């Protein structure tokens, strides 16, 4: 299978991840991939093309796409666009599962879409402007979005073909969720395989086949995601950051960090202290969000 797994880490202090689409400049393609979280792409300007199960979806301003957990998809943005992306961990929907670890949302457009789109815009506007009490307001808007997702877009009767098709990815999703919860510990292939009742060889093959990455590299990618957040916050030293996130020390972290990001942790931390690490400089008014 020619697709990879994407690791998603929520915003610090919030139960979701919110950002501007990295393909905003155009001439960009995100190849086939999947993730455990539910994902919403809300187009505020320009155009996007989604490929899901060999079906093409063309999004224009005011339209959005709901990508289901474990749903393999790719995104094309040949031209500049302004798109807000909201990623929601699957576990937040557990009270509404139609089956074991399974919930499915429809892609079909309807009159309800305008209200939903306005909520996503309001969420990003609050995130960008950060008024007094913005964290509480963001959570309020977010749970309103959740309400309409399960009320208006959730399918209560799901074709069993969907369930069977996602069976293997669902298994791997449970494993990756466990790894994200225990990434600071000494995660070994043999131990994780034992927890889930697999042989180490089978689990290793599962990662290679469905995630497009080795078990070891996946553990390291989780740790590096959290390292980046701590470096941006600047609360801990490089050594403390390394130990807190499962690395043996600052040297091990430096090797891994430089290999993935092309700079040393100390360099990144220095940039973060000057506010130079954020790639998204587009403000809510530039998105037409008022």
């Amino acid at each position: 299978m020619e697709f990879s797994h994407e690791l998603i880490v929520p915003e610090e202090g919030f139960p979701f991840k919110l950002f501007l689409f990295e393909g905003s400049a155009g001439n960009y393609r995100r190849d086939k991939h999947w993730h455990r979280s539910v994902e919403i792409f809300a187009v505020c300007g320009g155009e996007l093309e989604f490929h899901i199960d060999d079906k093409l979806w063309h999004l224009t301003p005011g339209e959005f796409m709901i990508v289901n957990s474990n749903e393999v998809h790719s995104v094309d943005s040949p031209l500049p666009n302004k798109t807000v992306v909201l990623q929601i961990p699957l576990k937040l929907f557990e009270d509404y599962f139609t089956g074991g670890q399974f919930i499915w949302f429809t892609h079909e457009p309807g009159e309800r879409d305008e209200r939903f789109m306005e909520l996503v815009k309001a969420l990003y506007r609050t995130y960008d402007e950060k008024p007094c009490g913005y964290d509480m307001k963001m959570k309020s808007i977010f749970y309103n979005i959740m309400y309409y997702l399960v009320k208006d877009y959730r399918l209560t009767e799901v074709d069993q073909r969907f369930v069977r098709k996602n069976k293997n990815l669902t298994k791997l999703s449970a494993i990756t969720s466990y790894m994200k919860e225990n990434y600071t510990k000494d995660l070994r292939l043999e131990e994780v395989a034992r927890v889930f009742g697999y042989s180490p060889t089978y689990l290793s093959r599962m990662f290679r086949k469905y995630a497009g990455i080795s078990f070891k590299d996946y553990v390291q990618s989780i740790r590096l995601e959290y390292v980046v957040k701590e470096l941006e916050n600047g609360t801990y030293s490089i050594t403390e950051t390394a130990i807190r996130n499962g690395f043996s020390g600052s040297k091990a972290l430096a090797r891994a960090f430089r290999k993935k990001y092309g700079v040393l942790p100390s360099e990144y931390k220095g940039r973060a202290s000057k506010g130079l690490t954020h790639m998204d400089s587009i403000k809510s008014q530039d998105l037409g969000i008022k």
Side-chain angles (χ1 to χ4, degrees):
M1 294 189 179
E2 299 178 354
F3 48 85
S4 62
H5 178 262
E6 178 184 349
L7 172 67
I8 293 175
V9 178
E11 300 280 344
E12 184 174 355
F14 295 98
F16 56 84
K17 184 174 183 179
L18 182 71
F19 58 96
L20 298 180
F21 179 49
E22 66 270 21
S24 60
N27 193 30
Y28 178 90
R29 174 180 174 80
R30 181 69 166 91
D31 291 329
K32 288 184 177 181
H33 63 287
W34 61 275
H35 38 70
R36 185 171 175 80
S37 297
V38 173
E39 184 173 53
I40 298 167
F41 276 74
V43 179
C44 302
E47 302 176 357
L48 276 186
E49 289 188 347
F50 263 82
H51 297 267
I52 300 178
D53 287 338
D54 298 320
K55 184 174 181 179
L56 173 64
W57 301 81
H58 187 83
L59 302 184
T60 57
E63 297 180 327
F64 62 89
M65 173 62 61
I66 303 174
V67 181
N68 288 290
S69 173
N70 297 339
E71 191 166 36
V72 179
H73 59 286
S74 62
V75 189
D76 282 318
S77 57
L79 300 175
N81 65 90
K82 297 173 181 177
T83 303
V84 175
V85 183
L86 173 62
Q87 296 171 328
I88 308 172
L90 183 63
K91 65 181 180 180
L92 295 185
F93 296 101
E94 60 186 359
D95 291 338
Y96 299 92
F97 288 158
T98 54
Q101 294 289 302
F102 191 84
I103 190 171
W104 202 261
F105 299 98
T106 178
H107 298 298
E108 297 301 330
E111 295 180 359
R112 62 209 168 174
D113 289 359
E114 183 176 352
R115 173 180 58 196
F116 191 87
M117 185 73 182
E118 287 304 314
L119 283 171
V120 177
K121 285 184 177 181
L123 184 68
Y124 187 81
R125 181 173 62 246
T126 306
Y127 173 74
D128 175 44
E129 297 174 355
K130 292 182 173 55
C132 178
Y134 83 96
D135 53 337
M136 291 184 288
K137 185 175 181 180
M138 282 185 68
K139 291 174 183 177
S140 173
I141 298 171
F142 171 70
Y143 283 109
N144 212 13
I145 289 172
M146 290 278 291
Y147 165 71
Y148 285 113
L149 275 173
V150 299
K151 174 181 176 290
D152 292 341
Y153 297 94
R154 180 176 63 109
L155 296 180
T156 55
E157 295 184 7
V158 182
D159 192 317
Q160 287 302 306
R161 288 177 300 174
F162 286 126
V163 180
R164 289 195 296 270
K165 183 177 182 180
N166 286 276
K167 184 178 180 180
N168 286 323
L169 293 181
T170 299
K171 288 180 181 178
L172 188 56
S173 288
I175 297 169
T176 57
S177 180
Y178 171 84
M179 293 169 68
K180 285 169 67 176
E181 292 172 358
N182 295 277
Y183 73 96
T184 61
K185 301 177 182 178
D186 185 19
L187 279 179
R188 297 181 182 275
L189 176 65
E190 295 76 12
E191 176 60 20
V192 176
R194 184 193 64 77
V195 169
F196 287 90
Y198 298 128
S199 71
T201 301
Y202 179 81
L203 183 58
S204 178
R205 286 202 306 266
M206 185 184 291
F207 265 89
R208 289 288 188 185
K209 185 175 183 179
Y210 296 111
I213 190 173
S214 71
F215 175 89
K216 182 179 179 180
D217 285 346
Y218 186 79
V219 173
Q220 189 157 278
S221 69
I222 296 174
R223 290 170 174 164
L224 288 173
E225 287 284 342
Y226 285 97
V227 163
V228 165
K229 290 183 178 295
E230 290 200 0
L231 291 176
E232 290 177 354
N233 290 337
T235 305
Y236 303 100
S237 68
I238 301 297
T239 299
E240 287 174 322
T241 298
I243 300 300
R244 281 172 50 82
N245 291 283
F247 288 92
S248 59
S250 58
K251 290 184 179 179
L253 172 58
R255 287 194 299 270
F257 199 92
R258 189 167 192 171
K259 181 179 179 181
K260 182 170 183 178
Y261 300 111
V263 296
L264 291 171
S266 56
E267 295 176 275
Y268 188 88
K269 187 176 183 180
R271 294 179 187 179
S273 67
K274 299 176 183 178
L276 301 177
T277 60
H278 297 289
M279 298 181 65
D280 296 320
S281 59
I282 302 175
K283 299 297 182 181
S284 59
Q285 58 265 30
D286 299 321
L287 293 170
I289 300 175
K290 301 178 180 178

